Amino acid sequence: MIAIKNIAAVLGLGLASLAQAGIPIQHWTQSSGAGVWLVESPTVPMVDVRIDFDAGGRRDPSAQAGLAGVSVAMQSKGIRVQGTDPALDENALGEAWADLGASFAGGDSGDRVSFSLRSLTYPDLLARAVALAARQLAEPAYPEVVWTRERERLVAALREANTRPATVAARTYNQAVFGSHPYGHDTNEQTLARISVADMQAWHRLYLQPCRARVSIVGAITRAQADALVTQLLARLPATACAALPPVAEVQPLGAAVEKRIPFESAQAHVLIGQPGFKRDDPDFFALTVGNYILGGGGFVSRLTEEVREKRGLSYSVYSYFNPGLHAGSFSIGLQTRPDQAAQAVQVARETLRRFLAEGPTGAELKAAKDNLIGGFALRIDNNRKLLDNVANIAAHGLPLDYLDTWTQQVAKVTVADIRAAFARKLQPERMVTVVVGGRDGQ
């Protein structure tokens, strides 16, 4: 434990120094088509790797919502025999990673599926970890009996989640905001029943190819070592020419306001208000980020907190956020309140948003927001995982390589007029979704 603490401390110091000196991101494309983004961080003998593929839930058929997520999850449940390499079931695979003191895991974020490798960089350990990761990435066994078990476990978890008002509110809200767009698809018992092992294998063959990979790396390795690591990681995937994937439709704006009030026996009513927001590469990103901090992203110093919590005591917490992605994500205001206060809380939240859109922030609010955001920037990259998240975000959205170096400058130059104009372009309070779950009649 002492050794781990020492490593973490040194890692933090190393990244702090890196932040002060700028964060040089190296980028190149391999002959396979795989893109690589590297930050060399030599202080601690560790490396973190993220492999992203354009294969997230946005590409799931609506009847099989959840296909990407379960396919990735099943890759940790065993790998098949390949040549002289033996098959490993989920227990043997877990023991192999434990023996290496390394980790490899996958997940689905909607826009993309991601696999993360963390290992020490001692040559023998790293080579074995990369070799095992390459097998898990390319040769999942997808055992039928395990999928049957996992599907039953997932269905039980979904049924339990459906007893919670927060789940009902989030599902209703997403479907109302995104309509038929994949962002609004709901993974449920019926869609899971339509997913077979053959579907997972087909998904794997189509999407997980070297030419579709974006690999982000932060750690104590050189460019030459990183290039060799990526080559080994992707070597077992089929090296075929990538056909272009079909485009995914954009999120459509709302045509009219939508209100859904759902009775639910709960102590608190769950309230969500919002609409489609904007894409991550939108030029209004910084104005909207700073503006939202003032409106509802800044915790106890936000406008919504002042109006809903401090002045009227309607809720312990209230927030707003944008969730941009490859398509327009959502703008959301959320709070919980006593069911008999839900109508008043909705009214106050809406009025606070309308006033912010009409007047924008004050100069004092803008200065305080900038000071907090710029002062807290170092916390966004103060360890390897956070820095890797940022580098992978740059890779996924085609952001400039100096994005992290110029982040504070971009925030500093936002003006009140910028925020007013950006919010006016993106939000239409008269056409928002309002979902209230709680109370006997949803009031």
Side-chain angles (χ1 to χ4, degrees), residues 314-333:
L314 295 172
S315 178
Y316 178 75
S317 69
V318 55
Y319 58 85
S320 68
Y321 67 92
F322 289 97
N323 185 28
L326 292 175
H327 309 277
S330 59
F331 164 76
S332 304
I333 295 173

Side-chain angles (χ1 to χ4, degrees), residues 183-253:
Y183 281 179
H185 287 173
D186 182 37
T187 300
N188 54 46
E189 190 171 348
Q190 291 71 40
T191 66
L192 290 174
R194 299 188 190 103
I195 297 173
S196 68
V197 164
D199 295 322
M200 296 181 204
Q201 292 167 334
W203 174 90
H204 187 275
R205 286 193 299 272
L206 175 60
Y207 294 114
L208 272 55
Q209 302 180 36
C211 51
R212 305 195 194 283
R214 290 183 171 88
V215 187
S216 304
I217 305 171
V218 175
I221 60 175
T222 65
R223 172 167 175 155
Q225 291 169 324
D227 196 59
L229 182 153
V230 173
T231 298
Q232 186 183 0
L233 263 179
L234 305 178
R236 289 173 178 258
L237 291 170
T240 56
C242 280
L245 295 172
V248 177
E250 297 296 342
V251 175
Q252 295 301 305

Side-chain angles (χ1 to χ4, degrees), residues 51-331:
I51 314 163
D52 290 332
F53 296 92
D54 179 4
R58 74 182 187 127
R59 295 199 172 278
D60 288 351
S62 59
Q64 293 179 308
L67 173 59
V70 299
S71 298
V72 172
M74 283 291 292
Q75 289 190 238
S76 67
K77 305 303 180 185
I79 52 181
R80 64 177 182 268
V81 63
Q82 187 72 25
T84 59
D85 294 323
L88 298 175
D89 65 17
E90 57 186 320
N91 294 324
L93 194 53
E95 290 173 2
W97 282 115
D99 289 343
L100 289 169
S103 63
F104 186 71
D108 167 30
S109 65
D111 280 340
R112 46 188 158 133
V113 295
S114 305
F115 297 89
S116 299
L117 169 66
R118 166 169 271 203
S119 173
L120 293 169
T121 53
Y122 301 130
D124 181 51
L125 280 176
L126 181 58
R128 290 159 57 200
V130 172
L132 185 58
R135 290 202 66 197
Q136 189 170 329
L137 186 65
E139 298 158 6
Y142 289 136
E144 181 80 44
V145 65
V146 175
W147 170 230
T148 300
R149 183 199 71 196
E150 287 299 299
R151 180 160 50 197
E152 291 174 354
R153 184 184 64 78
L154 289 170
V155 168
L158 286 170
R159 288 173 177 169
E160 190 279 330
N162 289 339
T163 65
R164 288 181 253 143
T167 302
V168 176
R171 180 191 300 121
T172 305
Y173 179 75
N174 283 335
Q175 291 174 344
V177 168
F178 296 117
S180 60
H181 190 275
Y183 281 179
H185 287 173
D186 182 37
T187 300
N188 54 46
E189 190 171 348
Q190 291 71 40
T191 66
L192 290 174
R194 299 188 190 103
I195 297 173
S196 68
V197 164
D199 295 322
M200 296 181 204
Q201 292 167 334
W203 174 90
H204 187 275
R205 286 193 299 272
L206 175 60
Y207 294 114
L208 272 55
Q209 302 180 36
C211 51
R212 305 195 194 283
R214 290 183 171 88
V215 187
S216 304
I217 305 171
V218 175
I221 60 175
T222 65
R223 172 167 175 155
Q225 291 169 324
D227 196 59
L229 182 153
V230 173
T231 298
Q232 186 183 0
L233 263 179
L234 305 178
R236 289 173 178 258
L237 291 170
T240 56
C242 280
L245 295 172
V248 177
E250 297 296 342
V251 175
Q252 295 301 305
L254 297 175
V258 177
E259 293 205 14
K260 293 183 178 291
R261 300 177 186 273
I262 301 174
F264 203 100
E265 289 294 337
S266 57
Q268 292 279 293
H270 290 246
V271 177
L272 290 169
I273 303 169
Q275 63 168 86
F278 65 96
K279 297 168 69 171
R280 178 59 183 81
D281 59 359
D282 193 290
D284 283 334
F285 175 81
F286 284 100
L288 294 167
T289 297
V290 177
N292 184 66
Y293 184 91
I294 299 164
L295 173 63
F300 291 136
V301 299
S302 76
R303 282 269 189 104
L304 283 166
T305 295
E306 175 68 16
E307 296 296 331
V308 177
R309 171 190 157 114
E310 299 299 329
K311 290 185 177 177
R312 298 170 178 84
L314 295 172
S315 178
Y316 178 75
S317 69
V318 55
Y319 58 85
S320 68
Y321 67 92
F322 289 97
N323 185 28
L326 292 175
H327 309 277
S330 59
F331 164 76

